[in-house]
Amino acid sequence: MNETRWDRLLLNANLATFAGDAPYGLVEHGAIALHHGRIAWVGRMDTLPDAPDALAAVVESLDGALVTPALVDCHTHLVFGGDRAHEFELRLNGASYEQIAHAGGGIASSVNATRAASEEQLFAQSLPRAQALLADGVTTLEIKSGYGLELETERRMLRVARRLGRELGISVRTSFLGLHALPPEFRDRRGDYVSLVCDAMLPALAAEGLVDAVDAFCEGIGFNREETRRVFERAKQLGLPVKLHAEQLSDQGGAALVAEYRGLSADHLEHLSEAGIEAMASAGTVAVLLPGAFYALRETKLPPVAALREQRVPIAIATDCNPGTSPLLSLRLAAGMACTLFRLTPEEALRGVTANAARALGLHDRGTLAAGQRADLVAWNVRQPAELCYWIGGGLARRVYVAGELVSRRKPSRRSPSAS
Ligand code: NIG
Ligand code: FE
């Protein structure tokens, strides 16, 4: 056998590369070669340098299936105990998210359930959620802490996040979200809690290698700018990148603050101001839009998509998978909702769950189909990229590859849903 042959060559694919100038970076009648976990070659089949069998050890035809970079979910709270279906019912009866939070529910109720769960229980409860995302094409996943609000439980959440990555063979990036809510035992002692987060919890968890980035909830019912700044300062000292839940329910000037720290992303952003957009544009901070939370809270104020576009702020889309405001287990559906609710084009939405989502995590080795990138990709049971936003539900991922290895496979459907 020729030693220089590629590990695997996929033929007859419609490649949405998100590289180059064509819409979706589309390469029709394409081929893609995977070698040692990386993409070795991408292009039109008729420009392959030799006969397929001479080029690769394994050659597969995809019969015209759409292939995209594997999806990147850059904002989730996927590890938590219990659920909040009861609050869903309360909200349908007229209670607001903020009212429920003030009455001791909301994030605090997930904190109780998460503190009560053992590491094994947390893992068992979180695993099916991560599996659902993976089955729908996600192979890189951000997971936040923030339902512990004390060292032991925050550590347990982050350890579970790391274990999910290991056991599912996907990439997990962790964010420490100690400033998610004020724990009940610190009522009237806000400053003490912020000090505990900055001086004890964050340095300890970072030293254990459990923290890839630092997040906070900058909001009327969360933490103010000065409190957020304190944790950002500590993150900076530790050499950790920052990101922020910003301008979700009101304009707190959070986007400008995270941009000041050259943050990876500002997330939610329904109430983002012009000044916030300008700050993000000059810092290169990604705007992460979360249509699942907008939908579940039945919000009406739209994020300023036109202005973000105009200022060329990169837009990413994520599930925000969490028990309170976004119990959403499909990133592809989030992309569809970004089109329907926020008026993104399908191309913007799909860049938002691939290339721009990778950027929101500070990852430059994935999110496009290009030689040298990680061979994380999905072959779908559709032919056209827009279909990924158009179909609502339906389990469309046919094959999911991580670093060139097949990790999830569904029966190929002979036809795309549109032909059936
Ligand atoms: O992203 N906004 C704060 N954090 C979550 C909600 C968490 C919860 O309600 O449990 C969010 O929407
Ligand atoms: Fe969130």
Side-chain angles (χ1 to χ4, degrees), residues 28-46:
E28 291 176 318
H29 307 290
I32 182 162
L34 319 183
H35 193 62
H36 288 177
R38 299 266 158 185
I39 295 171
W41 191 93
V42 191
R44 285 180 58 92
M45 263 195 308
D46 57 13

Side-chain angles (χ1 to χ4, degrees), residues 75 77 84 97 107 147 180 217 245 248 268 320 322 324-325:
H75 180 140
H77 309 247
R84 304 230 297 274
Y97 181 59
I107 293 172
Y147 293 120
H180 194 195
F217 184 27
H245 284 73
Q248 178 186 12
H268 285 289
D320 195 14
N322 78 68
T325 64

Side-chain angles (χ1 to χ4, degrees), residues 96-124:
S96 74
Y97 181 59
E98 281 142 308
Q99 281 164 346
I100 292 171
H102 285 307
I107 293 172
S109 73
S110 293
V111 169
N112 291 334
T114 306
R115 286 179 177 180
S118 68
E119 191 162 320
E120 212 45 52
Q121 287 167 333
L122 261 189
F123 179 77

